[in-house]
Amino acid sequence: MNRRPVLAALASLAVAPLSLPVLAQSYPSKPVRVVVPFAPGGTTDIIARILSERMGAALGQTVVVENKAGGGGIVGAAELVKAPADGHVLGMATVSTVASNPAINPRTPYNPLSDFTPIINLAATPNVIAVHPSFPARDYRTFLEVLKKSPGRYSYASSGTGGIGHLQMELYKNLAGVFVTHIPYRGAGPALNDTVAGQVPIIFDNLPSALPFIREGRLIPIVVAAPERLAVLPNVPTFKEVGLEPVNRMAFYGFVGPKGLSREVVDKVSAAARRTLEDASVRKRIEDTGSLIVANTPEQFAAQIRSEFEVYRQVVEKQKLTLE
């Protein structure tokens, strides 16, 4: 019997398992890009930048945020799908990119349940309907009366067609029996700018990006999507309080990688993010925006994405929503 092939095979088997930890230890070997699928200034951008500033120390490499806006988050998410699955390009996943947009847009160029590798849900945030100070309402009851008296007269801004702001506001319109024209933007930042400037009278936005303008009196909060009334907005009711519980859903912001990302890389990114979120100053900055820290496991985040997508798929079907 020729023992050389057998010995060679055994040697290869012995070496193969040892290579995996070496690969994990060498990651990251260069700066890590985090693709934010919206314009600067929105909540997704805020959360990503707070994390990236400190997470580089935990990873041992610089973490750079890159904004790739367009299509209600589709453009940036689609770029991540095409990236090498080596962990050097990560993305910020939101309800818009992995649930509401794919649920309403049959042309979404990726499958939110199979084309990404969930890593960690970083934070969740309330959503808010807010109006420009010139709008003839300061509370929800009056807001609803104004919209019902003048169907089609007013418009609202969102971060983009198919995004969570669009879909939740459309759900609100259907359930409340009002008609407001949708004005989509390439991210929450531009939508906020035009609403604060009075170009659009209403906005459906994530609270963290809208809150600074609310505190300055440049936007008036009307109703929020949150589990209960918020300490920062104690006089503003939730959608559940006004009888619209299906609209009472929060947004989330988490790290995902391209499909096929190794478990070793997933665990390293997840651990670095968790370590960063344990920093009191980081937690405070995130919580000061009105967000809640989540920091769940990859499995929990994957289940959350599946659940949220199914909720919005049913919303689109039951409310007969289509792209404008």
Side-chain angles (χ1 to χ4, degrees):
M1 175 180 176
N2 188 345
R3 298 175 60 191
R4 287 187 179 180
V6 175
L7 292 174
L10 291 174
S12 65
L13 288 173
V15 171
L18 297 177
S19 64
L20 293 177
V22 171
L23 288 173
Q25 290 170 11
S26 66
Y27 170 81
S29 59
K30 57 184 178 181
V32 175
R33 289 197 298 132
V34 175
V35 178
V36 171
F38 300 102
T43 307
T44 313
D45 182 65
I46 293 170
I47 300 295
R49 291 183 186 279
I50 291 174
L51 262 291
S52 67
E53 289 175 10
R54 298 293 183 87
M55 206 171 88
L59 281 175
Q61 283 284 354
T62 302
V63 179
V64 181
V65 172
E66 291 189 5
N67 298 87
K68 298 288 183 179
I74 285 181
V75 172
E79 177 170 314
L80 178 64
V81 169
K82 300 173 184 176
D86 60 7
H88 290 97
V89 182
L90 304 174
M92 288 292 288
T94 70
V95 173
S96 293
T97 60
V98 298
S100 63
N101 223 324
I104 196 174
N105 187 355
R107 297 185 299 277
T108 302
Y110 55 81
N111 185 323
L113 306 184
S114 61
D115 285 341
F116 301 108
T117 303
I119 299 174
I120 182 172
N121 184 2
L122 303 164
T125 65
N127 298 309
V128 62
I129 289 181
V131 298
H132 185 266
S134 64
F135 190 84
R138 291 291 186 277
D139 59 75
Y140 179 74
R141 185 173 61 85
T142 310
F143 174 78
L144 184 59
E145 289 175 354
V146 169
L147 295 187
K148 283 185 174 291
K149 287 179 181 177
S150 306
R153 177 178 177 181
Y154 297 100
S155 58
Y156 76 94
S158 84
S159 61
T161 300
I164 184 173
H166 174 210
L167 212 57
Q168 274 193 272
M169 187 65 173
E170 291 300 314
L171 175 57
Y172 168 75
K173 286 163 54 178
N174 277 272
L175 297 180
V178 297
F179 178 72
V180 190
T181 302
H182 179 218
I183 309 295
Y185 285 81
R186 291 173 63 86
L192 278 164
N193 289 339
D194 270 13
T195 309
V196 169
Q199 300 299 316
V200 185
I202 305 168
I203 188 169
F204 194 116
D205 190 31
N206 303 133
L207 182 61
S209 49
L211 189 57
F213 300 104
I214 291 172
R215 285 173 168 159
E216 294 171 2
R218 301 170 73 187
L219 288 177
I220 309 299
I222 299 297
V223 59
V224 297
E228 57 188 27
R229 288 204 182 197
L230 303 170
V232 292
L233 300 175
N235 299 318
V236 181
T238 67
F239 282 102
K240 182 178 180 179
E241 285 183 74
V242 301
L244 298 171
E245 188 169 3
V247 195
N248 207 48
R249 309 192 66 81
M250 297 177 72
F252 63 65
Y253 309 90
F255 284 141
V256 294
K259 177 181 179 180
L261 200 61
S262 74
R263 184 67 197 209
E264 289 78 17
V265 171
V266 168
D267 288 344
K268 193 160 189 178
V269 174
S270 179
R274 285 172 175 274
R275 199 175 313 152
T276 305
L277 290 170
E278 289 170 359
D279 185 304
S281 63
V282 171
R283 294 182 71 89
K284 184 177 186 304
R285 289 177 65 191
I286 291 176
E287 289 170 350
D288 282 350
T289 68
S291 303
L292 308 174
I293 302 295
V294 178
N296 61 8
T297 66
E299 291 75 20
Q300 290 170 331
F301 192 25
Q304 187 175 10
I305 290 172
R306 289 194 299 271
S307 174
E308 204 72 8
F309 174 73
E310 181 60 21
V311 165
Y312 282 104
R313 188 194 65 76
Q314 291 184 19
V315 166
V316 169
E317 181 179 309
K318 290 177 181 179
Q319 302 300 327
K320 295 181 173 57
L321 300 178
T322 58
L323 290 176
E324 295 178 357

